[in-house]
Amino acid sequence: MDGDACPVRDEVFRVAGRLSLPVTVVSNGSRGVRLPEGVRRVIVEEGADAADDWIVEAIGPNDICVTADIPLASRCLAKGALAVAPAGRVWDSENIGSAMAGREISRHLRETGMETRHAGFTNRNRSLFLEALERTVQQARRPASAQPRPLPDFFSD
């Protein structure tokens, strides 16, 4: 879990505890957050992408990354992992490209002086996250032979 400012820590801990799943919380500092017994804490050096880099280095196929950071989600997907945003969006190869493009457009707008705002985090987001996390855990637990195969790309050379 990308632990810096994650609004769904308790939900992750609850689901992981119920299903006996390991959890690692990675952050740039301890931030005074108490973790349940058995949850691994990794504190990385200060730096813009230090936590992200650690997560990408450690994550493997069918591991689940909980993050609102779109570039981190993209990097995890590239390693065969799964990614879920705290607002309940499951990142995948179908939607990560448009999310990255939208992020760049927002960055450009901010650079030109325009304000961009994110909607606040709601109880509905929390509920959507729990549903998405449950589905993603079930997907990760399926044997590789039961995983859906990608459709052929009829438009490639």
Side-chain angles (χ1 to χ4, degrees), residues 30-127:
S30 64
R31 302 196 189 264
V33 176
R34 268 189 91 156
L35 301 180
E37 187 176 323
V39 172
R40 179 179 177 204
R41 179 190 313 262
V42 174
I43 299 174
V44 297
E45 293 181 22
E46 291 293 325
D49 291 324
D52 296 0
D53 292 343
W54 191 96
I55 291 168
V56 171
E57 181 67 29
I59 205 159
N62 286 328
D63 287 345
I64 301 169
C65 180
V66 175
T67 184
D69 185 315
I70 297 167
L72 173 57
S74 179
R75 292 171 67 192
C76 290
L77 291 174
K79 289 201 62 182
L82 305 164
V84 181
R89 185 160 193 188
V90 177
W91 300 112
D92 60 30
S93 61
E94 305 262 327
N95 62 22
I96 198 70
S98 61
M100 291 285 287
R103 181 181 179 277
E104 286 304 307
I105 290 168
S106 292
R107 184 187 56 78
H108 176 72
L109 291 173
R110 285 190 301 276
E111 287 175 354
T112 63
M114 293 185 72
E115 256 187 68
T116 60
R117 294 184 183 188
H118 296 284
F121 193 78
T122 66
N123 284 335
R124 173 86 174 124
N125 295 127
R126 199 172 302 283
S127 177

Side-chain angles (χ1 to χ4, degrees), residues 4-19:
D4 291 325
C6 182
V8 290
R9 281 187 197 104
D10 291 338
E11 289 77 5
V12 171
F13 300 150
R14 203 166 44 246
V15 170
R18 182 171 46 81
L19 299 173

